[in-house]
Each structure stands twice: as C-alpha cells, then as structure tokens.
Coordinates of all heavy atoms in Angstrom, one line a residue:
M1298 N 2.1 -14.4 1.4 CA 1.9 -14.2 2.8 C 2.0 -12.8 3.2 O 1.2 -12.3 4.0 CB 3.0 -15.1 3.6 CG 2.7 -15.1 5.0 SD 3.5 -16.6 5.7 CE 5.0 -16.0 6.3
I1299 N 3.0 -12.0 2.6 CA 3.1 -10.6 2.9 C 1.9 -9.9 2.4 O 1.3 -9.0 3.1 CB 4.4 -10.0 2.4 CG1 5.6 -10.7 3.1 CG2 4.4 -8.5 2.5 CD1 6.9 -10.3 2.5
L1300 N 1.4 -10.2 1.2 CA 0.3 -9.5 0.6 C -1.0 -9.7 1.6 O -1.7 -8.8 1.8 CB -0.1 -10.1 -0.8 CG -1.3 -9.6 -1.4 CD1 -1.2 -8.0 -1.6 CD2 -1.5 -10.2 -2.8
E1301 N -1.2 -10.9 2.0 CA -2.3 -11.1 2.9 C -2.2 -10.4 4.2 O -3.2 -9.8 4.8 CB -2.5 -12.7 3.2 CG -3.7 -13.0 4.0 CD -5.0 -12.6 3.4 OE1 -5.1 -12.6 2.1 OE2 -5.9 -12.2 4.1
A1302 N -1.0 -10.3 4.8 CA -0.7 -9.5 6.0 C -1.1 -8.0 5.8 O -1.7 -7.4 6.7 CB 0.7 -9.7 6.5
V1303 N -0.7 -7.5 4.6 CA -1.0 -6.1 4.3 C -2.5 -5.9 4.2 O -3.0 -4.9 4.7 CB -0.2 -5.6 3.1 CG1 -0.7 -4.2 2.6 CG2 1.3 -5.7 3.3
I1304 N -3.2 -6.8 3.6 CA -4.6 -6.8 3.4 C -5.3 -6.7 4.8 O -6.3 -6.0 5.0 CB -5.1 -7.9 2.5 CG1 -4.7 -7.7 1.1 CG2 -6.7 -8.0 2.6 CD1 -5.0 -8.9 0.2
Q1305 N -4.7 -7.5 5.7 CA -5.3 -7.6 7.1 C -4.9 -6.4 7.9 O -5.3 -6.3 9.1 CB -4.8 -8.8 7.8 CG -5.3 -10.1 7.1 CD -6.8 -10.2 7.0 OE1 -7.5 -9.9 8.0 NE2 -7.3 -10.6 5.9
G1306 N -4.1 -5.5 7.3 CA -3.8 -4.2 8.1 C -2.4 -4.2 8.7 O -2.2 -3.3 9.6
A1307 N -1.5 -5.1 8.4 CA -0.2 -5.2 9.0 C 0.6 -3.9 8.9 O 1.2 -3.5 9.8 CB 0.5 -6.4 8.6
D1308 N 0.7 -3.3 7.7 CA 1.6 -2.3 7.5 C 1.4 -1.7 6.1 O 0.5 -2.1 5.4 CB 3.0 -2.6 7.8 CG 3.8 -1.5 8.4 OD1 3.5 -0.3 8.2 OD2 4.8 -1.8 9.1
V1309 N 2.4 -1.0 5.7 CA 2.5 -0.4 4.3 C 3.6 -1.2 3.6 O 4.7 -1.5 4.2 CB 2.8 1.1 4.3 CG1 3.0 1.6 2.9 CG2 1.8 1.9 5.0
V1310 N 3.4 -1.5 2.3 CA 4.5 -2.3 1.6 C 4.6 -1.8 0.2 O 3.6 -1.2 -0.4 CB 4.1 -3.8 1.7 CG1 2.9 -4.1 0.8 CG2 5.3 -4.6 1.2
Q1311 N 5.7 -2.1 -0.4 CA 5.9 -1.8 -1.8 C 5.9 -3.1 -2.6 O 6.8 -3.9 -2.3 CB 7.2 -1.0 -2.1 CG 7.4 -0.7 -3.6 CD 8.7 0.1 -3.9 OE1 9.4 0.5 -2.9 NE2 9.0 0.3 -5.1
F1312 N 5.0 -3.3 -3.5 CA 4.9 -4.5 -4.3 C 4.8 -4.1 -5.8 O 4.4 -3.0 -6.1 CB 3.5 -5.2 -4.1 CG 3.5 -6.1 -2.9 CD1 2.4 -6.0 -2.0 CD2 4.4 -7.1 -2.7 CE1 2.3 -6.9 -0.9 CE2 4.3 -7.9 -1.6 CZ 3.3 -7.8 -0.7
P1313 N 5.3 -5.0 -6.6 CA 5.0 -4.8 -8.1 C 3.5 -4.8 -8.3 O 2.8 -5.6 -7.6 CB 5.7 -6.0 -8.7 CG 6.7 -6.5 -7.8 CD 6.1 -6.2 -6.4
K1314 N 3.0 -4.0 -9.2 CA 1.6 -3.9 -9.4 C 0.9 -5.3 -9.7 O -0.2 -5.5 -9.3 CB 1.3 -2.9 -10.4 CG -0.2 -2.4 -10.4 CD -0.3 -1.2 -11.3 CE -1.6 -0.5 -11.0 NZ -1.7 0.8 -11.7
F1315 N 1.6 -6.1 -10.5 CA 1.0 -7.4 -10.9 C 0.8 -8.3 -9.6 O -0.1 -9.1 -9.7 CB 1.9 -8.1 -11.9 CG 3.2 -8.7 -11.3 CD1 3.3 -10.0 -10.8 CD2 4.4 -7.9 -11.4 CE1 4.5 -10.5 -10.4 CE2 5.5 -8.4 -10.9 CZ 5.6 -9.7 -10.4
I1316 N 1.5 -8.1 -8.5 CA 1.3 -8.9 -7.3 C 0.0 -8.5 -6.6 O -0.8 -9.3 -6.1 CB 2.5 -8.9 -6.4 CG1 3.7 -9.6 -7.0 CG2 2.1 -9.5 -5.0 CD1 4.9 -9.6 -6.2
A1317 N -0.2 -7.2 -6.6 CA -1.3 -6.6 -5.8 C -2.6 -6.2 -6.7 O -3.5 -5.8 -6.1 CB -0.8 -5.4 -5.1
A1318 N -2.5 -6.5 -8.0 CA -3.6 -6.0 -8.9 C -5.0 -6.5 -8.5 O -5.9 -5.7 -8.5 CB -3.3 -6.4 -10.3
K1319 N -5.1 -7.7 -8.1 CA -6.4 -8.3 -7.7 C -6.9 -7.7 -6.4 O -8.1 -7.3 -6.3 CB -6.4 -9.8 -7.6 CG -6.2 -10.5 -8.9 CD -6.1 -12.0 -8.8 CE -5.9 -12.7 -10.1 NZ -5.8 -14.2 -9.9
A1320 N -6.0 -7.5 -5.4 CA -6.5 -6.9 -4.2 C -6.8 -5.4 -4.4 O -7.8 -5.0 -3.8 CB -5.3 -7.0 -3.2
I1321 N -6.2 -4.7 -5.3 CA -6.5 -3.4 -5.6 C -7.9 -3.3 -6.3 O -8.8 -2.5 -6.0 CB -5.4 -2.7 -6.5 CG1 -4.2 -2.5 -5.7 CG2 -5.9 -1.4 -7.0 CD1 -2.9 -2.1 -6.5
A1322 N -8.1 -4.2 -7.3 CA -9.4 -4.3 -8.0 C -10.5 -4.6 -7.1 O -11.6 -4.1 -7.3 CB -9.3 -5.3 -9.1
R1323 N -10.3 -5.4 -6.1 CA -11.4 -5.8 -5.1 C -11.6 -4.6 -4.1 O -12.6 -4.6 -3.4 CB -11.0 -7.0 -4.3 CG -11.1 -8.3 -5.0 CD -10.9 -9.5 -4.1 NE -9.8 -9.4 -3.2 CZ -8.6 -9.9 -3.4 NH1 -8.4 -10.7 -4.5 NH2 -7.6 -9.8 -2.5
G1324 N -10.7 -3.7 -4.0 CA -10.8 -2.6 -3.0 C -10.2 -3.0 -1.7 O -10.3 -2.2 -0.7
D1325 N -9.5 -4.1 -1.6 CA -8.8 -4.5 -0.4 C -7.6 -3.7 -0.1 O -7.2 -3.4 1.1 CB -8.4 -6.0 -0.4 CG -9.6 -6.9 -0.5 OD1 -10.7 -6.5 0.0 OD2 -9.4 -8.1 -0.8
L1326 N -6.9 -3.1 -1.1 CA -5.8 -2.3 -1.0 C -5.9 -1.0 -1.9 O -6.7 -1.1 -2.8 CB -4.5 -3.0 -1.4 CG -4.1 -4.2 -0.6 CD1 -2.9 -4.9 -1.2 CD2 -3.8 -3.9 0.8
Q1327 N -5.2 0.0 -1.5 CA -5.3 1.2 -2.2 C -3.9 1.7 -2.5 O -3.1 1.9 -1.6 CB -6.1 2.3 -1.4 CG -6.2 3.6 -2.2 CD -7.0 4.6 -1.5 OE1 -7.7 4.3 -0.5 NE2 -7.0 5.8 -1.9
P1328 N -3.5 1.9 -3.8 CA -2.2 2.4 -4.1 C -2.1 3.9 -3.6 O -3.0 4.7 -3.8 CB -2.1 2.3 -5.6 CG -3.4 2.1 -6.1 CD -4.3 1.6 -4.9
I1329 N -0.9 4.2 -3.1 CA -0.6 5.6 -2.8 C 0.8 6.0 -3.3 O 1.6 5.1 -3.6 CB -0.7 5.9 -1.2 CG1 0.3 5.0 -0.5 CG2 -2.1 5.7 -0.8 CD1 0.3 5.4 1.0
L1330 N 1.2 7.2 -3.3 CA 2.5 7.7 -3.7 C 2.8 7.3 -5.1 O 3.9 7.1 -5.5 CB 3.6 7.2 -2.8 CG 3.5 7.7 -1.3 CD1 4.6 7.0 -0.5 CD2 3.5 9.2 -1.2
Q1331 N 1.8 7.3 -6.0 CA 2.0 6.9 -7.3 C 2.8 7.9 -8.2 O 3.4 7.5 -9.2 CB 0.6 6.7 -8.0 CG -0.2 5.5 -7.4 CD -1.5 5.3 -8.1 OE1 -1.6 5.5 -9.3 NE2 -2.5 4.9 -7.3
S1332 N 2.9 9.2 -7.7 CA 3.6 10.1 -8.5 C 5.1 10.2 -8.1 O 5.9 10.9 -8.7 CB 3.0 11.5 -8.3 OG 3.1 11.9 -6.9
Y1333 N 5.5 9.4 -7.2 CA 6.9 9.3 -6.7 C 7.6 8.2 -7.4 O 7.0 7.2 -7.8 CB 7.0 9.1 -5.2 CG 6.6 10.3 -4.4 CD1 5.2 10.5 -4.0 CD2 7.5 11.3 -4.1 CE1 4.8 11.6 -3.4 CE2 7.1 12.4 -3.3 CZ 5.8 12.6 -3.0 OH 5.4 13.7 -2.3
A1334 N 8.9 8.3 -7.6 CA 9.7 7.3 -8.2 C 11.0 7.0 -7.4 O 11.5 7.9 -6.7 CB 10.1 7.7 -9.6
T1335 N 11.6 5.8 -7.5 CA 12.8 5.5 -6.8 C 14.0 6.1 -7.6 O 13.8 6.7 -8.7 CB 13.0 4.0 -6.7 OG1 13.1 3.5 -8.1 CG2 11.9 3.3 -6.0
Q1336 N 15.2 6.0 -7.0 CA 16.4 6.6 -7.7 C 16.6 6.0 -9.1 O 17.2 6.6 -9.9 CB 17.6 6.4 -6.8 CG 17.5 7.3 -5.5 CD 18.7 7.1 -4.7 OE1 19.6 6.3 -5.0 NE2 18.7 7.9 -3.6
V1337 N 16.2 4.8 -9.3 CA 16.4 4.1 -10.5 C 15.2 4.3 -11.5 O 15.1 3.7 -12.6 CB 16.7 2.6 -10.4 CG1 18.0 2.3 -9.7 CG2 15.6 1.9 -9.7
G1338 N 14.3 5.2 -11.1 CA 13.2 5.5 -12.0 C 12.0 4.6 -11.9 O 11.0 4.7 -12.6
L1339 N 12.0 3.6 -10.9 CA 10.9 2.7 -10.7 C 9.8 3.4 -9.9 O 10.2 4.2 -8.9 CB 11.3 1.4 -10.0 CG 12.3 0.6 -10.8 CD1 12.7 -0.6 -9.9 CD2 11.7 0.1 -12.1
P1340 N 8.5 3.3 -10.2 CA 7.5 3.9 -9.4 C 7.4 3.4 -8.0 O 7.7 2.2 -7.7 CB 6.2 3.6 -10.2 CG 6.5 2.4 -10.9 CD 8.0 2.5 -11.3
I1341 N 7.0 4.2 -7.1 CA 6.8 3.8 -5.7 C 5.3 3.8 -5.4 O 4.6 4.8 -5.7 CB 7.5 4.7 -4.7 CG1 9.0 4.6 -4.8 CG2 7.1 4.4 -3.2 CD1 9.8 5.6 -4.0
S1342 N 4.7 2.8 -4.9 CA 3.3 2.7 -4.5 C 3.3 2.3 -3.0 O 4.1 1.4 -2.6 CB 2.5 1.8 -5.3 OG 2.6 2.1 -6.7
V1343 N 2.4 2.8 -2.3 CA 2.1 2.4 -0.9 C 0.7 1.8 -0.9 O -0.2 2.5 -1.2 CB 2.3 3.5 0.1 CG1 2.0 3.0 1.6 CG2 3.7 4.1 0.0
L1344 N 0.6 0.6 -0.4 CA -0.7 0.0 -0.4 C -1.1 -0.2 1.1 O -0.3 -0.6 1.9 CB -0.6 -1.4 -1.1 CG -0.1 -1.4 -2.5 CD1 0.1 -2.8 -3.0 CD2 -1.0 -0.7 -3.4
Y1345 N -2.4 0.1 1.3 CA -2.9 0.0 2.7 C -4.4 -0.4 2.6 O -5.0 0.0 1.6 CB -2.6 1.2 3.5 CG -3.3 2.5 3.1 CD1 -4.5 2.8 3.6 CD2 -2.8 3.2 2.0 CE1 -5.2 3.9 3.2 CE2 -3.5 4.4 1.6 CZ -4.7 4.7 2.2 OH -5.3 5.8 1.7
P1346 N -4.9 -1.0 3.7 CA -6.3 -1.3 3.7 C -7.2 0.1 3.7 O -7.0 0.9 4.5 CB -6.6 -2.0 5.0 CG -5.2 -2.4 5.5 CD -4.2 -1.4 4.9
Q1347 N -8.0 0.2 2.7 CA -8.8 1.4 2.5 C -9.8 1.7 3.6 O -10.0 2.8 4.0 CB -9.4 1.4 1.2 CG -10.2 2.6 0.8 CD -10.7 2.5 -0.6 OE1 -10.5 1.6 -1.3 NE2 -11.5 3.5 -1.0
K1348 N -10.5 0.7 4.1 CA -11.6 0.9 5.0 C -11.3 0.6 6.4 O -12.2 0.4 7.2 CB -12.8 0.1 4.5 CG -13.2 0.5 3.1 CD -14.4 -0.4 2.6 CE -14.7 0.0 1.2 NZ -15.7 -0.8 0.7
R1349 N -10.1 0.5 6.8 CA -9.7 0.1 8.2 C -9.0 1.3 8.8 O -8.5 2.2 8.2 CB -8.8 -1.1 8.2 CG -9.5 -2.3 7.5 CD -8.6 -3.5 7.4 NE -9.2 -4.5 6.6 CZ -9.3 -5.7 6.9 NH1 -8.8 -6.2 8.1 NH2 -9.9 -6.6 6.1
Y1350 N -8.8 1.1 10.1 CA -8.1 2.1 11.0 C -6.7 2.2 10.4 O -6.0 1.2 10.2 CB -8.1 1.7 12.4 CG -7.2 2.5 13.2 CD1 -7.5 3.8 13.6 CD2 -5.9 2.0 13.6 CE1 -6.7 4.6 14.4 CE2 -5.0 2.8 14.4 CZ -5.5 4.0 14.7 OH -4.6 4.8 15.5
L1351 N -6.2 3.4 10.2 CA -4.8 3.6 9.8 C -3.9 3.9 10.9 O -4.2 4.8 11.8 CB -4.7 4.7 8.7 CG -5.4 4.5 7.4 CD1 -5.3 5.8 6.5 CD2 -4.8 3.3 6.7
Y1352 N -2.7 3.3 11.0 CA -1.8 3.6 12.0 C -1.3 5.0 11.8 O -1.3 5.5 10.7 CB -0.6 2.6 11.9 CG -0.9 1.2 12.3 CD1 -1.0 0.2 11.3 CD2 -1.1 0.8 13.6 CE1 -1.3 -1.1 11.6 CE2 -1.5 -0.5 13.9 CZ -1.6 -1.5 12.9 OH -1.8 -2.8 13.2
A1353 N -0.8 5.6 12.9 CA -0.3 7.0 12.9 C 0.8 7.1 11.9 O 0.9 8.1 11.1 CB 0.1 7.5 14.2
K1354 N 1.7 6.1 11.8 CA 2.8 6.1 10.9 C 2.4 6.1 9.4 O 3.0 6.7 8.6 CB 3.8 5.0 11.2 CG 3.3 3.6 11.0 CD 4.3 2.6 11.5 CE 3.7 1.2 11.5 NZ 4.7 0.2 11.9
V1355 N 1.3 5.4 9.1 CA 0.7 5.4 7.8 C 0.2 6.8 7.4 O 0.4 7.3 6.4 CB -0.4 4.4 7.6 CG1 -1.0 4.4 6.2 CG2 0.3 2.9 7.9
R1356 N -0.6 7.4 8.4 CA -1.1 8.8 8.1 C 0.0 9.8 7.9 O -0.1 10.6 7.0 CB -2.0 9.2 9.3 CG -3.3 8.5 9.4 CD -4.3 9.2 10.3 NE -3.7 9.4 11.6 CZ -3.9 8.5 12.6 NH1 -4.5 7.4 12.4 NH2 -3.4 8.8 13.8
V1357 N 1.1 9.6 8.7 CA 2.3 10.6 8.4 C 2.9 10.3 7.1 O 3.2 11.3 6.3 CB 3.3 10.3 9.5 CG1 4.6 11.0 9.2 CG2 2.8 10.8 10.9
L1358 N 3.0 9.1 6.7 CA 3.6 8.7 5.3 C 2.7 9.3 4.2 O 3.2 9.9 3.3 CB 3.7 7.2 5.2 CG 4.3 6.8 3.8 CD1 5.7 7.2 3.6 CD2 4.2 5.3 3.7
L1359 N 1.4 9.2 4.4 CA 0.5 9.7 3.4 C 0.5 11.2 3.3 O 0.1 11.8 2.3 CB -0.9 9.2 3.7 CG -1.1 7.7 3.6 CD1 -2.6 7.4 4.0 CD2 -0.9 7.2 2.2
S1360 N 0.9 11.9 4.3 CA 0.9 13.3 4.3 C 2.1 13.9 3.7 O 2.2 15.1 3.5 CB 0.7 13.9 5.7 OG 1.9 13.6 6.5
L1361 N 3.1 13.1 3.3 CA 4.3 13.6 2.7 C 4.1 14.2 1.3 O 3.2 13.9 0.6 CB 5.4 12.5 2.5 CG 5.8 11.9 3.9 CD1 6.8 10.7 3.6 CD2 6.5 12.9 4.7

C-alpha cells in the first residue's frame, strides 16, 4: 500500500530495493541518495515519481 502511494506521488520513502525493484524497472520510481549510508552502513535511497510534479520538500531533499 505504501509503495502504491509513493508511485502515485504521495511522498519520499526508504524501501529495501527488492520491494521497489519492479517499480524502478518500469520507471515509476527513481532511486536517489544512493551514495549515502545510514549509521549502521545500510544504503539510503529516496524513491519518487520521475515524471510528476515534485513537492518543494522533495526538491530540497534532492539538493542535499
């Protein structure tokens, strides 16, 4: 349900890649912040609809 909400443009979310892999492959979502890692060394990705209007808070996050 959260994955579908993100695809519809709800917000930015962190998912394990295996959950979002099909949506990424279809182009429904785009991974971001791939070069960042959490404190425990896990990668951080931000997924958002690639071809839709981006909220200001998403643009700010992407500019970090």
Side-chain angles (χ1 to χ4, degrees):
M1298 190 155 95
I1299 295 172
L1300 177 62
E1301 186 58 35
V1303 173
I1304 290 171
Q1305 296 300 319
D1308 214 335
V1309 176
V1310 70
Q1311 181 178 356
F1312 277 132
K1314 200 168 196 172
F1315 71 90
I1316 291 177
K1319 289 181 183 177
I1321 292 169
R1323 286 191 310 264
D1325 291 340
L1326 297 175
Q1327 181 176 350
I1329 61 173
L1330 300 177
Q1331 294 181 36
S1332 61
Y1333 290 87
T1335 62
Q1336 291 179 357
V1337 294
L1339 297 173
I1341 295 175
S1342 299
V1343 179
L1344 305 173
Y1345 65 95
Q1347 182 176 354
K1348 298 178 183 175
R1349 298 176 193 228
Y1350 170 78
L1351 292 179
Y1352 293 107
K1354 61 185 174 181
V1355 175
R1356 284 195 307 274
V1357 170
L1358 179 65
L1359 295 175
S1360 69
L1361 296 177

